[in-house]
Amino acid sequence: MGLFRRAKPAKETTKERPPPVAAGGLLDAAETEAAAELWRLTALPREEFDATYGEMLRGFWRCIGGVRGAAWTALRGRALAHAIAALKVRRAHVLPRFAAAEDAARLAEVMSFALAACVVAERFGQVLGRAAGPDWCPMEADVPAQTELADVAVPRAFGALVLPRLLGPAGHEWLGQQPEALREVAAYFGGGPSQLRAIADDAAARIGMPPPPPPPASAMPAPGAGQGGHGAVEAAPADAGDAAPQTGTDAARTTRTAPAPAGAADGTARGGDAARPARASSDIGDGRVGWQWFNWVRARLRDGSVVPNAAGAWLHNIDGSAYVVDPDGFEALAEAESVAPKSIRNRVRKLGRHRTRRSGSGRADAFPAELADGRRVTGMLFDGELFWDRDAPPASRSTLR
């Protein structure tokens, strides 16, 4: 196979030939067509695509071939859709960014393969990391039929655990010959900056598919915490919100690291004569799983994929408060995590950051509303600062009933 000797071989015609990765019957008709679209985004002959991308896809499909359920079925479609979107976005990027000109052609195709493999592994990892079966280890065996999915958050790096086993021999050889590609794969699943991960996240946003959430923040104390003396700052405990509910303003200012002490008006954390810049972060909350939904909405507001007050929208500014239509506001993230919308809603509800009202049975968290587009809906009401900080959208003509 000439895969490792030429960078951009001429693509062969598919006329009177089966589409790629069709062999083995692991992919259904729609998935086979999606794989063919993935192939068209590369410059590989069919045999070389089959040996790399095809074998990688077959490895992941075989891994979950013995288990049934909506979450597993949806996973396959989402993984392919995200990989296709990622390769489309990747065409506008030079990877790696600072490679020598003489290396660019050699690395062009392997970087695309590394990106697709990381995206598929990450998507599968988000579900495999929630699975539990008798005497089963995801790093060693395929998913058994007797498997349960827990409603837990999974670090996006979980996919790195299963990628080596499911990548396929040709893919292993190809990546193994290119240290630059291996470093990019490691960076994708690491905590620092990554060109491949930035492309994958951009692609996910373009197709309305939220990227997997980051792992919950550590509850470990900041350096110097609890040691006394100047400059000691304590990290917020993971369950800080359970003891005393915060106002919307306070919650919006809570970050994944220790907040700046009161009185640091210049944006620095001060201890004695020492000054440290406060960590800039758009994320809010204390790391509990329910905050992932808030941060997902905030990210969608920033990139414009969620538009408040629009006709048919699920987020509205009603008199300065954020009104979220139920279940619409929880469905997109629920689909990405392969859980029911009510599971996402329950995670959010447990944080206690929503408003409640009196009802015949006590307190209720559902608010009926008549939206500006004429719909009559029910939803949850939150302090607006949890979502839009100082850049609030204009108040809509929607009203609570």
Side-chain angles (χ1 to χ4, degrees), residues 159-172:
L161 299 178
V162 297
L163 179 59
R165 184 173 74 84
L166 303 174
L167 188 60
H172 263 293

Side-chain angles (χ1 to χ4, degrees), residues 262-276:
D266 60 352
T268 60
R270 296 186 179 276
D273 296 329
R276 305 185 300 277

Side-chain angles (χ1 to χ4, degrees), residues 113-210:
F113 175 65
L115 173 61
C118 287
V119 165
V120 173
E122 183 177 42
R123 285 287 165 192
F124 270 71
Q126 288 298 296
V127 182
L128 291 174
R130 295 168 46 215
D135 301 320
W136 171 63
C137 174
M139 294 179 289
E140 298 177 354
D142 297 339
V143 182
Q146 293 77 30
T147 302
E148 296 182 357
L149 291 178
D151 185 13
V152 295
V154 180
R156 63 188 305 168
F158 194 94
L161 299 178
V162 297
L163 179 59
R165 184 173 74 84
L166 303 174
L167 188 60
H172 263 293
E173 183 182 355
W174 197 10
L175 291 180
Q177 290 181 357
Q178 310 298 336
E180 301 93 337
L182 286 178
R183 288 193 291 268
E184 286 296 329
V185 171
Y188 185 100
F189 291 106
S194 165
Q195 297 179 74
L196 294 184
R197 192 173 65 242
I199 292 172
D201 288 353
D202 183 12
R206 294 187 185 205
I207 61 175
M209 184 182 294

Side-chain angles (χ1 to χ4, degrees), residues 218-230:
S218 172
M220 293 294 289
Q227 298 176 4
H230 297 301

Side-chain angles (χ1 to χ4, degrees), residues 217-222 233-240 254-259 285-286:
S218 172
M220 293 294 289
V233 180
E234 292 186 0
D239 60 350
T254 303
T255 61
R256 295 182 187 271
T257 55
D286 53 27

